[in-house]
Amino acid sequence: MLPCTRDRTHKAAVWMKENFVHEMAAAVGGTVFSVDHIWAIACQETAYLWLGWIDTMSVENVLGRCIGDASGDFPGTVRNAFPTNTDAFRAKYGNQLTDILIGEANLSRAIRGFEPRDWVYKGYGIYQFDLQHILTDETFFRDRKWYSYGECIVRLMQELKHKYNVYQDIWLAIKAYNP
């Protein structure tokens, strides 16, 4: 079910603000972005996943299970950014880290009623920090920092600020965040 109904959008906004309003407010302070921008990005990126979980799971588990994007491994998909697929990831990072990320993805798949796969997913955390960033931020993935809202919002804001510096426009920066 799409999270875009009025009631579901309201539920998502309330949950985000009840749990993270202080972190969101601090993160957007001194920037052109607002708390509403921040929760809206979370809704766009992962609310379709977590809206069904927020009444029964802890906040940390909700954050931890926000893993998506099997591009490059899912049949009929192509990915241009590193890693193009699980084999490319395994070749660079070896079995241990690959198996950790596959295990995390399969925990998320199980909650969604899907069978396990031998795929490294490409989006981690409530804002779907892309796996291509492992090249410069390996600890986020190795240490499973997507379970922490603070870690997720730091990376979101870094990316949004970068996009804003490129486009000098709030709408274009947000649109470019995760095309």
Side-chain angles (χ1 to χ4, degrees):
M1 179 191 313
L2 294 175
C4 298
T5 67
R6 181 181 177 98
D7 289 343
R8 288 173 60 83
T9 300
H10 179 69
K11 182 177 181 177
V14 167
W15 183 80
M16 288 290 299
K17 290 179 179 180
E18 284 177 351
N19 288 287
F20 311 118
V21 71
H22 300 294
E23 292 101 323
M24 289 188 290
V28 299
T31 74
V32 298
F33 301 103
S34 72
V35 168
D36 288 340
H37 292 132
I38 301 310
W39 75 258
I41 292 170
C43 288
Q44 170 67 32
E45 294 295 328
T46 57
Y48 73 96
L49 294 171
W50 52 260
L51 272 170
W53 305 335
I54 60 177
D55 295 327
T56 60
M57 292 172 59
S58 70
V59 171
E60 182 184 45
N61 283 333
V62 168
L63 295 173
R65 297 291 51 92
C66 287
I67 299 173
D69 187 5
S71 64
D73 288 298
F74 189 82
T77 64
V78 176
R79 178 174 164 91
N80 294 321
F82 176 83
T84 53
N85 59 33
T86 299
D87 290 340
F89 187 86
R90 191 178 298 277
K92 181 162 181 72
Y93 287 96
N95 291 333
Q96 183 181 13
L97 183 54
T98 303
D99 292 343
I100 287 169
L101 296 182
I102 289 172
E104 288 288 333
N106 282 331
L107 289 172
S108 296
R109 288 180 61 81
I111 290 170
R112 295 167 65 192
F114 299 149
E115 296 291 320
R117 298 282 187 202
D118 287 328
W119 297 339
V120 171
Y121 274 59
K122 314 314 182 297
Y124 292 81
I126 198 161
Y127 298 112
Q128 292 295 276
F129 192 56
D130 196 279
L131 189 56
Q132 67 183 308
H133 295 292
I134 195 166
L135 298 170
T136 57
D137 192 359
E138 185 174 330
T139 61
F140 180 84
F141 301 97
R142 185 173 298 284
D143 296 344
R144 301 174 189 142
K145 290 186 178 187
W146 66 88
Y147 279 81
S148 164
Y149 184 77
E151 295 286 347
C152 290
I153 199 165
V154 162
R155 283 144 181 97
L156 169 72
M157 293 308 298
Q158 288 171 344
E159 190 68 15
L160 283 177
K161 289 174 187 176
H162 169 72
K163 298 296 185 186
Y164 184 78
N165 287 338
V166 170
Y167 295 105
Q168 296 296 305
D169 180 275
I170 294 171
W171 167 245
L172 291 176
I174 291 170
K175 186 177 177 183
Y177 168 69
N178 198 355

